[in-house]
Amino acid sequence: MNDWPEGWSGDNRGSGYGRGSASARPESARVMRQVRRGATPPPGPGPSAPPYGAGVPQQPSYTDGQGHGGDGYDSGYNTGQVYGGGGGGQGPGRQLRDRPAPDWRRRIKWTAITVVTVLVVTTVGTYFWADSKLNREVDLSKVIERPAAGEGTNYLIVGSDSREGMTDEQKKDLHTGSAEGKRTDSMMILHTGDNGSTLISLPRDSDVEIPSFVGSESGKKYPGTGRHTKLNAAYAEDGPELLVRTVEHNTGLRLDHYVEIGFAGFANIVDAVGGVEMDIPQDIKDKKSGADFKKGKQTLNGEEALAFVRTRYALAGSDLDRTKNQQKFLSALASQVATPSTVLNPFKLYPTMGAGLDSLIVDKDMGLFDLASMFWAMKSVSGGEGTSMNMPISGSVGSNLKWDDAKVKKLVEELKNDEKVTVPGNN
């Protein structure tokens, strides 16, 4: 019995595909099926012969409704579009086309809110950090018999020769010596108001009367005896409170705030801002302060700056010339601190604030806004928008410098009334 389809036999297998036959025609059973597109063409007239010969089962058609499609079916293999074909499919390509456009207004809005929130949190955090570092040690409520308050704000700015916290090497490098205790090396009154700022130096050798006062530590009242001495002796006798009391008694001007800085703190602030440029008017060489400068513009580091503001023996006007240099330098320092390169640079701002706040001693009512106002006022003086002067001097009493009483009285009245200062000082 022959199991091969009609026309096939074991005798003619030698002519089949793959058996070395020369015929290029493959076996009928291995003819690759073709995928048709579109409608199936209508059958022609007359019966069609079976495509595979007798006995071979009919293969399912891809277009007869029993395969994989009908009209419009497209596997994608012929076009290379394996995933996404035509006809209303919902593949990834269609999903990307249907995705809505980004809402840029919404994104910008939330970005702005985020930035503002970060800035607010940083600002508030910085404020409380800085406020906690202020050394509020001076209690002005202990000062008795104070003058009436006037217009504007008055600061007493003191540079002390305190060596507290300095190592022996620092004392040597800064030429400070090793004296115990604290004395005032410089004293200034800064007035701020609607008519500009005025910076007035009080020579430490000024002749003043020590009035009655209450001891800052003992709480005991010491009556005035009419005793006269140098102004810096008041600080050495009973500290900041007696110094404020003495200045107010001898001027009649009420002081609203007190600010003090020592040697080391001063040098650290200068180094933190990267130095301060000064135009030195003459060659200066002073072994006691360590100053050794040539005339002209130069940037002073902390050690050099301290030597510059302490020098007096190499200057013709001694203490009066020194106070002028101190005013110039402090104004230049304030101007440097308030520049955008410092304020907007956190890598410079925070070290500067840290160095300054760690070394400042202020009164109990001093706030950060008061301190900022003081620096801006000093900057305005440096920029020519204010006035800088020495307290008017009329002569000397022994080695003490005597103030010109008439000029001092007029000066104080102008400051109390926040008027433009017209009194000439010893400049």
Side-chain angles (χ1 to χ4, degrees):
M1 179 177 178
N2 187 356
D3 294 330
W4 293 91
E6 183 180 353
W8 288 51
S9 68
D11 296 335
N12 63 9
R13 282 180 296 171
S15 61
Y17 180 77
R19 296 294 300 271
S21 171
S23 173
R25 182 179 180 277
E27 295 173 295
S28 297
R30 300 187 183 183
V31 173
M32 298 185 69
R33 292 171 292 188
Q34 300 298 317
V35 178
R36 300 177 186 174
R37 290 184 173 82
T40 305
S48 59
Y52 303 108
V56 178
Q58 178 69 37
Q59 300 297 311
S61 170
Y62 278 76
T63 60
D64 64 0
Q66 299 178 11
H68 296 81
D71 292 346
Y73 173 78
D74 184 0
S75 68
Y77 282 96
N78 285 353
T79 63
Q81 298 175 348
V82 178
Y83 296 99
Q90 295 295 326
R94 178 62 178 271
Q95 293 175 4
L96 289 175
R97 290 194 298 273
D98 293 342
R99 180 177 296 174
D103 188 344
W104 288 108
R105 289 186 178 180
R106 180 183 175 87
R107 292 188 180 186
I108 293 173
K109 171 186 173 182
W110 283 106
T111 299
I113 291 174
T114 301
V115 170
V116 170
T117 301
V118 170
L119 288 175
V120 169
V121 171
T122 301
T123 301
V124 172
T126 299
Y127 175 86
F128 283 105
W129 166 77
D131 188 72
S132 68
K133 293 179 74 68
L134 274 178
N135 300 310
R136 297 182 174 93
E137 299 179 7
V138 180
D139 189 357
L140 296 183
S141 67
K142 295 180 180 179
V143 180
I144 62 174
E145 302 174 19
R146 308 192 68 184
E151 301 294 328
T153 304
N154 300 308
Y155 299 82
L156 181 61
I157 303 172
V158 174
S160 76
D161 64 359
S162 171
R163 297 152 177 87
E164 184 177 352
M166 296 175 63
T167 64
D168 292 339
E169 184 177 357
Q170 287 176 316
K171 292 175 183 177
K172 180 180 179 181
D173 291 341
L174 298 177
H175 301 272
T176 64
S178 300
E180 297 296 329
K182 295 195 299 183
R183 283 155 293 277
T184 51
D185 210 55
S186 61
M187 291 159 285
M188 303 178 189
I189 294 174
L190 174 66
H191 173 83
T192 65
D194 295 334
N195 285 291
S197 301
T198 304
L199 186 62
I200 307 164
S201 287
L202 309 176
R204 69 177 194 171
D205 293 339
S206 297
D207 184 77
V208 294
E209 178 185 352
I210 302 295
S212 58
F213 67 97
V214 174
S216 57
E217 297 295 334
S218 66
K220 179 182 177 181
K221 183 172 182 178
Y222 297 89
T225 61
R227 173 170 56 99
H228 279 244
T229 185
K230 293 181 179 181
L231 180 58
N232 67 341
Y235 182 95
E237 186 171 333
D238 198 53
E241 288 84 358
L242 179 55
L243 178 61
V244 170
R245 168 75 175 125
T246 302
V247 172
E248 288 187 342
H249 175 76
N250 286 269
T251 62
L253 182 68
R254 186 184 181 97
L255 302 173
D256 301 292
H257 292 294
Y258 177 93
V259 181
E260 177 186 329
I261 187 169
F263 281 163
F266 180 83
N268 289 340
I269 293 175
V270 174
D271 286 334
V273 297
V276 176
E277 185 180 73
M278 288 294 297
D279 187 358
I280 299 179
Q282 65 184 73
D283 292 349
I284 299 176
K285 190 173 183 64
D286 185 356
K287 291 184 178 180
K288 290 193 175 183
S289 68
D292 188 3
F293 305 111
K294 297 295 183 182
K295 178 181 178 179
K297 287 187 177 181
Q298 50 205 285
T299 299
L300 307 183
N301 61 26
E303 178 183 339
E304 294 166 337
L306 185 59
F308 177 72
V309 299
R310 294 183 62 222
T311 296
R312 64 170 175 165
Y313 294 105
L315 305 176
S318 189
D319 200 38
L320 291 177
D321 282 349
R322 178 171 71 163
T323 57
K324 296 176 189 177
N325 288 340
Q326 290 171 347
Q327 287 180 348
K328 291 177 183 177
F329 187 86
L330 289 179
S331 296
L333 174 60
S335 182
Q336 178 70 23
V337 170
T339 57
S341 63
T342 298
V343 175
L344 300 179
N345 182 354
F347 297 102
K348 184 178 287 188
L349 175 63
Y350 285 99
T352 301
M353 291 179 64
L357 296 172
D358 281 340
S359 55
L360 289 178
I361 296 175
V362 299
D363 64 270
K364 293 184 180 296
D365 294 327
M366 173 73 83
L368 287 179
F369 290 110
D370 298 311
L371 195 60
S373 177
M374 183 192 80
F375 271 97
W376 282 106
M378 293 183 68
K379 180 183 179 182
S380 70
V381 172
S382 175
E385 300 173 8
T387 302
S388 61
M389 58 185 292
N390 275 317
M391 187 64 84
I393 304 294
S394 62
S396 60
V397 180
S399 59
N400 298 350
L401 296 174
K402 182 173 176 55
W403 294 350
D404 188 316
D405 293 337
K407 290 182 179 179
V408 169
K409 182 178 179 180
K410 184 177 181 181
L411 171 63
V412 170
E413 286 300 316
E414 291 176 339
L415 295 177
K416 279 185 174 182
N417 297 324
D418 193 25
E419 298 172 350
K420 186 71 176 178
V421 171
T422 60
V423 176
N426 291 80
N427 293 327

